[in-house]
Amino acid sequence: MMPTASMGLPLRMLGLGAALALIAGLTPAPSAFAQDGAELVISAKDHKFDPAELAAPAGKPIVLRVKNLDPSPMEFESNSLRVEKVLTGNGEAVINIRPQQAGRYDFFDDFHASTTKGVLVVK
Ligand SMILES: [Cu+2]
């Protein structure tokens, strides 16, 4: 019994460490992943993106942090980037985008598609 019990604790601690590492990866501090690419932040308020235009380097992974500052849910969506993510009211999400070629990539809030639009410029 004793060897099993004493081995169980380090395993649980390892699990906690991995969980903390995951949480740490969601903080604004630059992660190893972001150092290779770009980390961008965008918010939506009164159903408008701020900023409405984002810029990122071509050929590098992009980490996009989306903050919904409105009390109603939104869906961050881009057909060209193949991204679709629902956010709760006042919710936040981190979206990992694959390296892209230079170009303009439209995105929008699919729940408010006529008012909430933006573009990611990759160059
Ligand atoms: Cu959608």
Side-chain angles (χ1 to χ4, degrees):
M1 287 294 287
M2 281 302 286
T4 308
S6 63
M7 285 174 68
L9 184 59
L11 277 178
R12 273 204 300 276
M13 289 173 73
L14 184 68
L16 179 62
L20 288 174
L22 272 175
I23 294 166
L26 297 178
T27 65
S31 63
F33 186 72
Q35 279 164 14
D36 287 342
E39 185 163 330
L40 307 173
V41 179
I42 190 170
S43 57
K45 184 163 174 58
D46 298 326
H47 305 301
K48 296 267 165 58
F49 282 120
D50 179 27
E53 185 171 317
L54 296 169
K60 308 238 178 189
I62 300 162
V63 178
L64 178 58
R65 179 184 300 271
V66 185
K67 297 179 180 181
N68 181 12
L69 303 181
D70 285 324
S72 55
M74 64 173 286
E75 184 178 52
F76 185 92
E77 182 158 345
S78 172
N79 298 322
S80 49
L81 294 169
R82 294 184 195 163
V83 161
E84 195 173 27
K85 183 88 178 174
V86 174
L87 283 81
T88 60
N90 297 307
E92 200 174 313
V94 174
I95 299 172
N96 292 303
I97 300 173
R98 291 165 178 278
Q100 299 292 324
Q101 296 181 321
R104 294 174 64 87
Y105 300 85
D106 292 326
F107 55 82
F108 52 95
D109 169 4
D110 201 23
F111 296 164
H112 309 88
S114 60
T115 56
T116 320
K117 304 179 213 182
V119 62
L120 170 66
V121 181
V122 175
K123 51 193 168 189

